[in-house]
Amino acid sequence: MTLWIYLFIAVILVVAELVYFKIADKLNIIDKPNQRSSHTKVTLRGGGIIFLFGAWLWAVFFGLQYPWFMIGLTAIAIISFIDDVHSVPNWARLIIQFTAMFLMFHELCILQWNMWWAVFIAWIVCVGIINAYNFMDGINGITGAYSLAVLLPLIYVNSKTPFINMPFLIVTGLAILVFCFFNFRKKAKCFAGDVGAIGIAFILIFAVGKLMVSENDLTYIVFFTVYGVDTVLTICHRIMLHEHLGEAHRKHAFQIMANELRIPHVVVSTIYMMLQLLISFGMILLPMKHWIYMCIVFAIFGSAYLLFMWKYYYLHEEYLKSQKNVN
């Protein structure tokens, strides 16, 4: 019976995505390429709204088990979708993001006021992860593929030691697969948009947070290693270059791979996905203390990032010089 429910939900998600495409096309909700973009054609934006639809369908068919989380997800997805359609001031987005994260923390039962400083740090870090996830949404397939790489280990762990409602993870996976069908291709039918990247990040942070609370183990942060290393070290690099962090750029490792090295988008996305799967299942299966494994992984991938930039960043500098000459 449950299998038929999943199939029915998958059909609804496909239909919902197709209906959204019609609406987005009519309302001109599109992404126009610019000098900082890694794509060259006008494409529909906001296809990642399917992740919110998936969460709503899960609640309808399997019960509203995480009400505070769902309120936070809905709020953060709506403000992100509005931002996709019409620019929203940074302060407004941040207020909703911090509020939504507060609701998630309430759902996770971690609002211990005697540990207010730890909660505050987690609050800042989680909002940072959400926005980093959005920054990394720059090429075809990467958001969907990487999200699967985070989700599959969670499903595996949950099958062995339940810590979260399994249908929630499975329906989220169905939503990601539907999105990948339209995005994980050479010529993407749609982009995730802020609503997609931020929405799925919020969902995955909640799932990983549930695992951390259940196991009392913060080292499961390694489920975000590849994105985390690329984002944090790219930010450090931009600070060294005295760049404005709020401005769009093409300095992430995946962007240099796709733009300067001309590696196909889906190949780059697959590389990021496979690396994260390797890291996550290594964490789960290897007989090693988690904190030691985490330190080794961070050291290896941090070094790999630095080596990659040392070898190939000059290509990006040449690109910037060519753009100045054109202008």
Side-chain angles (χ1 to χ4, degrees):
M1 182 62 181
T2 303
L3 177 60
W4 287 107
I5 293 176
Y6 289 141
L7 290 174
F8 185 54
I9 289 174
V11 171
I12 295 175
L13 288 171
V14 172
V15 172
E17 190 76 305
L18 292 173
V19 170
Y20 172 75
F21 291 164
K22 294 291 185 181
I23 296 173
D25 188 48
K26 186 174 183 179
L27 298 180
N28 203 36
I29 305 174
I30 57 175
D31 197 309
K32 295 181 179 179
N34 54 50
Q35 290 183 353
R36 303 295 185 180
S37 301
S38 297
H39 60 281
T40 57
K41 294 185 177 181
V42 173
T43 308
L44 296 177
R45 178 192 296 176
I49 198 170
I50 197 71
F51 305 138
L52 176 62
F53 292 163
W56 285 346
L57 287 171
W58 162 76
V60 169
F61 283 93
F62 295 98
L64 185 58
Q65 300 184 39
Y66 310 123
W68 296 109
F69 160 77
M70 286 298 297
I71 294 171
L73 173 62
T74 301
I76 204 170
I78 288 175
I79 192 67
S80 299
F81 181 71
I82 294 173
D83 195 37
D84 282 328
V85 178
H86 183 75
S87 183
V88 174
N90 289 335
W91 63 264
R93 287 188 292 106
L94 287 174
I95 287 176
I96 298 298
Q97 289 176 6
F98 276 108
T99 302
M101 193 57 62
F102 181 86
L103 293 172
M104 180 195 292
F105 284 5
H106 180 65
E107 192 70 70
L108 293 171
C109 300
I110 61 173
L111 293 178
Q112 306 296 328
W113 299 117
N114 59 324
M115 293 287 290
W116 65 268
W117 55 272
V119 173
F120 181 75
I121 292 174
W123 202 24
I124 299 297
V125 169
C126 288
V127 171
I129 292 175
I130 286 173
N131 285 284
Y133 218 93
N134 192 29
F135 296 154
M136 294 293 289
D137 180 36
I139 61 173
N140 297 354
I142 196 165
T143 293
Y146 191 80
S147 296
L148 282 177
V150 178
L151 184 68
L152 291 177
L154 290 170
I155 291 175
Y156 177 82
V157 173
N158 200 53
S159 69
K160 302 296 183 181
T161 308
F163 64 90
I164 195 171
N165 179 254
M166 183 62 90
F168 172 75
L169 297 180
I170 294 175
V171 174
T172 297
L174 291 175
I176 295 172
L177 288 174
V178 170
F179 174 72
C180 283
F181 178 78
F182 296 105
N183 178 258
F184 192 82
R185 53 174 75 179
K186 184 177 180 180
K187 295 181 180 180
K189 174 69 175 178
C190 69
F191 294 146
D194 288 4
V195 63
I198 290 178
I200 193 62
F202 192 80
I203 291 170
L204 294 175
I205 289 172
F206 174 67
V208 173
K210 289 283 287 184
L211 178 57
M212 288 179 173
V213 171
S214 175
E215 298 293 319
N216 193 27
D217 188 351
L218 296 179
T219 61
Y220 283 104
I221 192 69
V222 298
F223 282 13
F224 294 109
T225 295
V226 180
Y227 263 21
V229 169
D230 195 337
T231 299
V232 172
L233 293 185
T234 298
I235 289 174
C236 292
H237 187 192
R238 297 191 69 202
I239 291 174
M240 291 171 60
L241 295 173
H242 305 290
E243 293 184 355
H244 191 290
L245 297 182
E247 293 180 354
H249 65 95
R250 297 194 348 177
K251 289 182 171 62
H252 284 292
F254 78 88
Q255 291 172 315
I256 292 176
M257 292 169 71
N259 297 317
E260 277 71 34
L261 297 179
R262 305 295 182 184
I263 302 174
H265 286 199
V266 294
V267 174
V268 176
S269 298
T270 301
I271 290 172
Y272 270 59
M273 176 185 183
M274 297 308 295
L275 286 175
Q276 187 57 62
L277 282 173
L278 178 65
I279 293 169
S280 298
F281 277 105
M283 170 84 157
I284 297 167
L285 300 175
L286 291 179
M288 183 184 298
K289 289 186 179 296
H290 284 182
W291 68 269
I292 294 177
Y293 181 83
M294 180 184 70
C295 292
I296 292 173
V297 165
F298 285 172
I300 290 174
F301 277 84
S303 300
Y305 173 92
L306 295 175
L307 180 62
F308 177 84
M309 286 299 176
W310 175 76
K311 188 171 183 179
Y312 295 114
Y313 183 71
Y314 78 93
L315 295 173
H316 180 67
E317 293 179 321
E318 291 178 354
Y319 162 78
L320 293 178
K321 290 179 182 178
S322 68
Q323 292 302 308
K324 287 182 179 179
N325 292 334
V326 170
N327 296 331

